[in-house]
């Protein structure tokens, strides 16, 4: 049995009015779906990237599904879950250091989280071999890797459905029903298994991508 925690079509500005944005995110809806890109010059490096946190947290087991379509490469798209401060407080506690979208603040800063980069087309090695990577923080621990079936921009003719399931420390991730990852955190790397916390989307410039039909369920 699942309980709906959050659902948005991502088809109009009001669907993201309560998102918490860190970094230079620019949002538009030219085709009835959320188009995200950086408002900064990609030459700014990490300072051109951004994170958008959803206005919902999960307490434990969760399923997150969304539709994704890349529109311009290079770049990278990522999702965070089970994100909290390192001492278990809310990710948005005002006492925490400010975050501005630069990746080091998220993997080696004041928070713990899991992060899955599911569309990696930033560097030549990522473009020649497409993989999904899972990291566990605090720290830059690469804990799992799997194949990424998403096409590049040239061949992407629609949005593709992604689904992340987190249950009792086990991650399952698929795209269009194709299994990409199945990994269980046994606590051996990066400390104890994380439970609940915040959910966020991260994008690296100059990627432009569309998102739609976002659903978060407690399971």
């Amino acid at each position: 049995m699942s309980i709906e925690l959050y659902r948005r079509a991502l088809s109009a500005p009001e669907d993201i009015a309560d998102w918490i944005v860190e970094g230079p995110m620019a949002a538009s809806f030219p085709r009835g779906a959320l188009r995200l890109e950086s408002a900064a010059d990609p030459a700014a490096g990490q300072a051109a990237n951004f994170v958008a946190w959803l206005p919902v947290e999960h307490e434990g087991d969760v399923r997150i599904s969304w539709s994704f379509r890349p529109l311009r490469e290079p770049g990278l798209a990522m999702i965070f879950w089970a994100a909290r401060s390192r001492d278990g407080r809310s990710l948005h506690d005002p006492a925490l250091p400010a975050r501005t979208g630069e990746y080091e603040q998220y993997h080696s800063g004041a928070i713990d989280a899991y992060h899955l980069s599911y569309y990696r087309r930033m560097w030549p090695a990522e473009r020649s071999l497409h993989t999904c990577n899972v990291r566990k923080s605090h720290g830059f621990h690469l804990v799992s890797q799997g194949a990424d079936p998403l096409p590049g921009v040239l061949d992407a003719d629609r949005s593709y459905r992604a689904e992340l399931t987190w249950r009792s420390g086990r991650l399952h991730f698929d795209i269009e029903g194709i299994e990409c990852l199945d990994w269980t955190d046994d606590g051996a790397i990066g400390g104890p298994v994380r439970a609940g916390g915040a959910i966020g989307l991260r994008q690296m410039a100059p990627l432009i991508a569309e998102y739609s039909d976002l659903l978060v369920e407690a399971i």
Side-chain angles (χ1 to χ4, degrees):
M1 179 178 174
S2 61
I3 300 172
E4 182 178 309
L5 298 179
Y6 184 79
R7 182 193 292 267
R8 293 292 185 275
L10 303 183
S11 59
E14 54 265 28
D15 285 344
I16 63 168
D18 51 1
W19 286 17
I20 300 169
V21 177
E22 299 166 353
M25 186 183 90
S28 59
F29 299 85
R31 303 198 300 189
L34 170 61
R35 181 174 296 186
L36 293 182
E37 59 189 297
S38 177
D41 187 334
Q46 284 289 335
N49 304 327
F50 59 85
V51 174
W53 297 102
L54 308 185
V56 65
E57 295 195 358
H58 64 102
E59 294 303 316
D61 296 348
V62 68
R63 180 181 296 116
I64 310 163
S65 54
W66 68 102
S67 295
F68 172 86
R69 181 176 183 174
L71 298 176
R72 186 178 75 184
E73 298 171 342
L76 181 146
M78 174 186 295
I79 184 168
F80 293 95
W81 75 101
R84 295 192 189 278
S85 73
R86 297 199 63 199
D87 59 2
R89 289 176 290 157
S90 168
L91 182 82
H92 305 300
D93 189 310
L96 294 177
R99 298 179 300 269
T100 56
E102 299 178 43
Y103 196 31
E104 187 174 2
Q105 300 167 353
Y106 301 85
H107 67 67
S108 297
I111 69 173
D112 289 331
Y114 296 101
H115 13 141
L116 166 62
S117 50
Y118 59 90
Y119 189 79
R120 304 172 64 247
R121 307 290 196 276
M122 193 65 191
W123 314 115
E126 297 171 350
R127 297 195 295 271
S128 67
L129 183 65
H130 298 171
T131 63
C132 301
N133 286 2
V134 182
R135 295 189 182 273
K136 180 181 177 181
S137 298
H138 184 262
F140 196 58
H141 307 292
L142 178 63
V143 293
S144 187
Q145 190 173 60
D148 163 19
L150 285 169
V153 168
L154 181 63
D155 297 313
D157 59 1
R158 63 188 187 279
S159 292
Y160 300 87
R161 193 69 180 169
E163 184 175 278
L164 183 159
T165 301
W166 176 248
R167 190 192 304 268
S168 300
R170 181 179 180 181
L171 168 68
H172 183 273
F173 178 67
D174 67 59
I175 295 173
E176 291 288 298
I178 300 170
E179 182 178 289
C180 304
L181 287 161
D182 192 342
W183 167 73
T184 298
D185 187 355
D186 61 6
I189 299 175
V193 178
R194 319 290 185 233
I199 300 165
L201 303 174
R202 182 172 190 267
Q203 206 169 285
M204 288 184 68
L207 179 67
I208 300 177
E210 281 185 349
Y211 302 78
S212 57
D213 299 320
L214 174 62
L215 175 63
V216 180
E217 302 169 281
I219 56 174

